[in-house]
Amino acid sequence: MRGAVRRISAWALGAAVFGAVAAFPATLGAGLRPSAGIFCLTPTCNRAIENVVDRVDDHLAMRMMELEDPRRRDLAKAIVAEAGAAGIDPFLVLAVIEVESSYDPSALSHRGARGLMQLLEPTMRQEMARSGIEYDDPHDPVANVRAGIRYLKRLLDVFGREELALMAYNAGPNRILGHIRAGPIPERFHAYPRRVLAELRRLRRTVGDPDAPLVAEVLRAERSL
């Protein structure tokens, strides 16, 4: 009976994800616009956002010493703005960057993935075109994180669970979908989300403010005014 329940659950999850992936290229990510910054209506919102930007900027200063102001500050603002618009913890973005490229904007994988968030150029091109953002260099850190966060957001919308979305980010959505439909996802695919989520926990302890609300929560409260 338990085996049957597991098979039914896997089938139901696979069917749901398959339907979402079928619509993946056309529908997901719609409504997101280029984020040059976050605009708050209240001083409380401004302070909360600036606090997170400051913390991200300080962390980038330690991990990307070659990137000077104001370019580094622009990158911190882009990470916080895009993450806030997508409803993603900006420290999750930093965790992905750590695991993917160790903060090396010139990183290039053997598969051709580029930049801080290690995007294949077709993926980056599609994300930027979908959002109406022009860019010249796939290694440009601001453009790369904008595209990477938007791609991660679409994967979270499709797969529903953070762990599955991270597996899809690392291994490709179609590969993870195939394993979902076939049965349990092989253990080797679980290593990547474990590394990212472990780094996220570390960043929240060492860089984040445990008493501060998430950027997405601040923005939701702001929009409700």
Side-chain angles (χ1 to χ4, degrees):
M1 177 63 71
R2 290 181 181 175
V5 170
R6 281 197 297 269
R7 284 194 296 273
I8 292 170
S9 299
W11 181 88
L13 177 61
V17 174
F18 178 76
V21 171
F24 186 86
T27 61
L28 296 176
L32 285 176
R33 295 292 182 263
S35 297
I38 295 178
F39 301 97
C40 291
L41 300 175
T42 64
T44 300
C45 175
N46 275 316
R47 284 194 298 271
I49 298 304
E50 282 301 313
N51 177 47
V52 179
V53 172
D54 287 343
R55 289 171 181 271
V56 171
D57 190 21
D58 288 345
H59 183 68
L60 294 176
M62 292 188 296
R63 298 296 283 118
M64 302 178 70
M65 290 183 288
E66 75 286 352
L67 190 64
E68 299 179 353
D69 258 345
R71 191 61 172 160
R72 190 190 67 242
R73 186 74 177 183
D74 289 342
L75 177 58
K77 289 179 178 178
I79 290 171
V80 175
E82 291 289 347
I88 296 173
D89 185 345
F91 293 112
L92 176 60
V93 177
L94 293 180
V96 171
I97 291 172
E98 175 66 51
V99 172
E100 287 287 344
S101 67
S102 297
Y103 293 89
D104 179 4
S106 63
L108 177 64
S109 78
H110 68 281
R111 295 177 58 240
R114 299 172 182 269
L116 290 177
M117 296 190 73
Q118 288 292 277
L119 299 174
L120 294 172
E121 194 159 359
T123 300
M124 182 165 180
R125 187 167 54 248
Q126 289 165 8
E127 292 300 327
M128 300 301 267
R130 183 178 287 107
S131 303
I133 303 175
E134 295 183 0
Y135 75 101
D136 298 320
D137 179 7
H139 290 278
D140 175 75
V142 171
N144 192 273
V145 299
R146 283 182 170 171
I149 293 169
R150 288 162 188 257
Y151 181 54
L152 179 58
K153 162 64 173 172
R154 295 202 303 127
L155 292 173
L156 285 164
D157 286 344
V158 167
F159 288 92
R161 288 166 45 192
E162 203 168 63
E163 293 84 355
L164 290 175
L166 288 170
M167 289 182 202
Y169 188 96
N170 176 244
N174 289 331
R175 180 181 297 179
I176 298 305
L177 172 62
H179 286 298
I180 289 173
R181 297 179 70 189
I185 299 174
E187 180 62 26
R188 66 183 183 276
F189 293 104
H190 292 264
Y192 179 83
R194 286 185 189 132
R195 288 178 61 199
V196 171
L197 296 177
E199 176 64 12
L200 172 59
R201 290 190 293 271
R202 189 191 71 80
L203 287 168
R204 284 175 173 166
R205 288 194 310 269
T206 59
V207 181
D209 181 350
D211 298 321
L214 296 178
V215 173
E217 293 173 358
V218 172
L219 293 179
R220 278 195 294 270
E222 184 84 355
R223 295 186 192 109
S224 68
L225 295 177

